[in-house]
Amino acid sequence: MLLWFVIIYWVISVGIGLYAARHVHNTKDFAVAGRHLPFYMVTATVFATWFGSETVLGIPATFLKDGLKGVVSDPFGSSMCLILVGLFFAAPLYRMNLLTIGDFYKKRFGRGVEVATTLAIVISYLGWVGAQITALGLVFNVVSGGEIEKVTGMWIGSITILIYTFFGGMWAVAVTDLIQMVIIVIGMLYIGGEVSGMVGGVGVVFDHALAAGKFEFWPSLNLKEILAFTAAWVTMMFGSIPQQDVFQRVQSSRTEKIAVWGSVLGGSLYFLFAFVPMFLAYSATLLDPKMVSELIDTDPQLILPRLVLERAPLFAQVMFFGALLSAIKSCASATLLAPSVTFTENILKPMMGRMTDRKLLFSMRIVTLVFTLLVTLYAVNSKASIFKMVENAYQVTLVAAFVPLVFGLFWKRATNQGALAAIFCGLSTWLSLQTFGPEDPFVPAQFAGLIASFLGMIIGSLAPQKLLGPLPVEPEHAFLHHHAPAETHHVAPAGVIHPQPPE
């Protein structure tokens, strides 16, 4: 019965995504839903995109082993990312009316920075999408009682998600996310109530976790621990900001106000609901301590699915796996679309010369297909946990793309030479420490890379502009008081930032 539910749900959701494809007539519809999404849909797609496999399977598994200290990056860092985007980045980026986050780097710093940051952003999605594909294989394997191999489940999941993303783009993602958010919220609350009844109430679980030290959050007064804690937090909080999926939700909004508050509310809801799977997983230590002890060091991601399958009635199983599938599907479809759009727009399109909008739309779809195949192969061959795959995904954007975005928006003296220096210093420092540094470094590699990127931007911008020449800009924050033409792509707001002369 459970397997048949999964099949029926899967077919219906793909059908809904394909139905939404009727709205796609051009690249703007495909990439940012024509900038027509209302507040409730923006909130839903922000929430559903981030409430993925790591939230339901990865975070609870890490919490069981390490407590709140282990999940500082997600949900604490990730939810703060969305709130910060809404409060500080959504308005200025929305006013620029661009198609991709790469377009910002091109207009602010020139072609070289555009290519470097776009490649970093695209590469970062391998880990995040790979985590969703891995989780799909796990779910299909569990609900089929082992009849469907994990690898087979990965391919089934990725291909079916590709179908509606390929045709429907951001419209299909937004419509399915809205439905999936409802299922996630109802499913998680229902199964939470069921499990709470089994263990004797939320207070019992809370007291047990408190006594076990699982709520210890802040690091001790030890510099190494403080640096590790800070690095984990900023990896998701800052490294997730210069991402195309976040940018798409801002740009897909009907108005600037929706872009701002949809991000803030979506991030807040994500933070609150992320604790439900943690509660469920910890309840397993009271309901079935033997099962937990068997899986905690081998495959802790299976603890929560096993608890539901072995302890919950059929309807509760249906609600749980419905919510889990919704979480994975919404996240996977969004993260397949985002890198494909930005790679096509910022890497492929300039290489191919003048393209009609129809040809560009076709190219975006082909790149989506190719990226799906690549990321599925990556997931099949990866040995990392779901949580680690997601956490590691944002290190490259943290050290390469975050500083140029922040300084490009809020510092008038930032130049393309400074941006290139920030990218080079951040990436080289991070890669060097990752490759040649100790296994347990005093300063985490991504944190050292972030500091190096910051210094590279400052020094490179203030030094004589011998390599590439200075970047002409208007007074600081001038763009905050101007609006872009309503329907024009890739045109900066009047008096904002003039594009760098050809390199």
Side-chain angles (χ1 to χ4, degrees):
M1 287 293 294
L2 183 59
L3 180 59
W4 276 109
F5 160 76
V6 169
I7 293 171
I8 294 170
Y9 171 75
W10 206 254
V11 171
I12 292 173
S13 60
V14 171
I16 292 171
L18 289 173
Y19 180 73
R22 77 191 194 281
H23 293 291
V24 177
H25 305 293
N26 51 49
T27 53
K28 189 174 181 180
D29 292 332
F30 188 82
V32 292
R35 286 167 68 98
H36 290 317
L37 297 186
F39 177 72
Y40 65 91
M41 290 190 77
V42 172
T43 301
T45 193
V46 168
F47 170 85
T49 296
W50 283 68
F51 202 99
S53 62
E54 74 284 357
T55 315
V56 183
L57 301 176
I59 293 175
T62 305
F63 174 73
L64 284 179
K65 297 182 71 173
D66 304 321
L68 284 183
K69 283 184 180 179
V71 295
V72 59
S73 61
D74 196 3
F76 289 93
S78 54
S79 57
M80 278 303 301
C81 158
L82 297 172
I83 294 170
L84 290 175
V85 165
L87 295 178
F88 299 104
F89 295 88
L93 289 174
Y94 185 85
R95 291 170 190 172
M96 294 184 75
N97 196 12
L98 305 173
L99 196 66
T100 69
I101 188 69
D103 288 343
F104 167 80
Y105 294 108
K106 175 176 64 177
K107 289 192 173 295
R108 185 62 173 87
F109 297 117
R111 176 66 176 160
V113 176
E114 174 197 14
V115 171
T117 51
T118 297
L119 289 175
I121 290 167
V122 170
I123 291 171
S124 73
Y125 277 97
L126 285 174
W128 196 5
V129 188
Q132 313 314 313
I133 302 301
T134 300
L136 284 174
L138 179 68
V139 171
F140 279 115
N141 178 260
V142 169
V143 299
S144 67
E147 293 295 319
I148 299 176
E149 298 283 341
K150 286 184 181 180
V151 173
T152 304
M154 290 182 190
W155 283 107
I156 293 172
S158 63
I159 290 171
T160 49
I161 291 173
L162 169 66
I163 292 172
Y164 70 80
T165 307
F166 181 91
F167 290 103
M170 188 62 195
W171 266 115
V173 171
V175 172
T176 53
D177 278 359
L178 176 62
I179 297 170
Q180 287 157 358
M181 176 185 173
V182 174
I183 295 173
I184 290 169
V185 170
I186 294 175
M188 283 291 132
L189 290 178
Y190 179 84
I191 193 67
E194 286 287 311
V195 172
S196 176
M198 295 179 193
V199 296
V202 175
V204 173
V205 178
F206 180 87
D207 291 341
H208 193 278
L210 183 64
K214 296 299 181 182
F215 292 141
E216 293 179 6
F217 180 68
W218 299 106
S220 61
L221 295 179
N222 176 287
L223 184 57
K224 183 178 179 181
E225 284 192 29
I226 293 173
L227 289 174
F229 178 89
T230 305
W233 198 323
V234 301
T235 297
M236 291 286 280
M237 182 168 60
F238 293 158
S240 305
I241 290 176
Q243 286 286 4
Q244 176 62 17
D245 64 282
V246 176
F247 181 84
Q248 277 179 311
R249 275 131 196 84
V250 169
Q251 292 298 324
S252 298
S253 304
R254 183 181 295 162
T255 67
E256 179 186 314
K257 189 174 181 180
I258 290 173
V260 171
W261 295 109
S263 298
V264 172
L265 181 57
S268 302
L269 290 174
Y270 171 75
F271 179 76
L272 293 175
F273 276 91
F275 285 92
V276 178
M278 283 190 267
F279 164 77
L280 295 174
Y282 195 82
S283 298
T285 62
L286 302 178
L287 294 171
D288 197 343
K290 182 180 179 182
M291 181 266 289
V292 173
S293 64
E294 290 173 354
L295 293 174
I296 192 69
D297 294 319
T298 55
D299 197 352
Q301 296 163 164
L302 279 174
I303 291 174
L304 187 49
R306 280 273 299 273
L307 172 70
V308 173
L309 280 175
E310 295 176 4
R311 296 279 178 162
L314 179 61
F315 184 73
Q317 294 177 24
V318 168
M319 295 299 291
F320 171 77
F321 283 101
L324 176 55
L325 286 171
S326 295
I328 298 170
K329 280 170 58 62
S330 59
C331 190
S333 59
T335 50
L336 283 176
L337 178 66
S340 304
V341 168
T342 193
F343 181 84
T344 307
E345 171 71 10
N346 300 110
I347 303 295
L348 192 60
K349 180 183 173 183
M351 294 170 58
M352 298 180 68
R354 294 184 63 85
M355 298 174 66
T356 64
D357 189 78
R358 185 174 181 180
K359 187 175 180 181
L360 181 60
L361 176 58
F362 177 76
S363 299
M364 285 182 178
R365 285 171 166 159
I366 295 302
V367 172
T368 304
L369 169 63
V370 173
F371 188 77
T372 302
L373 295 175
L374 290 175
V375 80
T376 305
L377 289 172
Y378 170 81
V380 167
N381 293 284
S382 177
K383 303 299 181 184
S385 69
I386 291 171
F387 186 83
K388 280 298 178 185
M389 289 173 77
V390 172
E391 186 179 43
N392 293 339
Y394 296 107
Q395 293 188 18
V396 63
T397 45
L398 176 70
V399 302
F402 175 71
V403 168
L405 175 64
V406 174
F407 280 75
L409 281 172
F410 301 112
W411 192 41
K412 67 178 181 180
R413 300 186 66 179
T415 67
N416 53 345
Q417 179 174 288
L420 287 170
I423 295 168
F424 174 78
C425 293
L427 280 175
S428 59
T429 301
W430 174 64
L431 288 172
S432 297
L433 291 175
Q434 286 277 54
T435 306
F436 305 110
E439 290 187 9
D440 185 23
F442 187 82
V443 180
Q446 73 270 29
F447 194 60
L450 176 63
I451 295 172
S453 180
F454 173 82
L455 294 175
M457 172 60 81
I458 298 294
I459 296 171
S461 295
L462 297 181
Q465 305 297 297
K466 295 180 179 180
L467 298 177
L468 301 170
L471 181 73
V473 295
E474 293 292 323
E476 188 173 9
H477 303 320
F479 62 86
L480 292 177
H481 306 291
H482 296 276
H483 291 269
E487 294 298 329
T488 303
H489 286 307
H490 317 304
V491 178
V496 178
I497 297 168
H498 300 289
Q500 177 70 18
E503 295 177 56

